[in-house]
Amino acid sequence: MNELDAELQTWGHPYQLWIELSRQDAGMDAVFVHSNNPNDDNFPHTVLSLSNSVGPLPDYLESIDDLKNYQIHSYERKDYDAFDDDIPEEVIDQVLVIQRLDCRFPL
């Protein structure tokens, strides 16, 4: 994310940059870059259900030396088990949202 942020700073346009890490499904982990869209008024992007309550962090995050330079929030993502043939079971995932503390446009 830091390398991407350094490159985006030379772009000359406002942007938001964040990471989302799923506690349930690593396939949902992603780095997001959001910028102004001429077809919609949705910049900056906000996540209304963002919470400061993240619980214990995974070991791989705790081991980051400069973790104090980031803000970590979370939100719950609700989905349904697609492989359940009878009654789909609701699955609730806590997604960690990571942004640099010095970002210009926080979520």
Side-chain angles (χ1 to χ4, degrees):
M1 182 168 77
N2 290 337
E3 291 173 17
L4 185 56
D5 191 36
E7 292 295 322
L8 285 167
Q9 288 180 21
T10 64
W11 183 37
H13 298 280
Y15 63 90
Q16 289 174 290
L17 177 65
W18 73 93
I19 296 173
E20 289 191 11
L21 301 173
S22 166
R23 291 198 188 252
Q24 299 283 329
D25 182 0
M28 297 298 291
D29 295 353
V31 177
F32 290 89
V33 177
H34 179 68
S35 62
N36 224 350
N37 179 343
N39 299 315
D40 201 352
D41 184 22
N42 62 356
F43 185 85
H45 177 69
T46 57
V47 179
L48 297 178
S49 59
L50 212 54
S51 167
N52 289 331
S53 175
V54 297
L57 294 177
D59 291 340
Y60 62 87
L61 286 180
E62 288 286 356
S63 66
I64 296 174
D65 290 334
D66 62 346
L67 190 61
K68 65 185 179 302
N69 296 325
Y70 300 89
Q71 54 187 341
I72 302 176
H73 301 287
S74 69
Y75 70 90
E76 286 187 350
R77 178 183 304 151
K78 294 181 183 181
D79 203 353
Y80 292 90
D81 183 352
F83 299 106
D84 192 340
D85 293 334
D86 297 325
I87 301 172
E89 181 180 333
E90 184 177 66
V91 177
I92 298 176
D93 184 11
Q94 182 190 34
V95 178
L96 298 176
V97 178
I98 303 169
Q99 281 190 294
R100 293 180 51 88
L101 282 175
D102 61 356
C103 68
R104 288 189 56 209
F105 300 100
L107 291 173

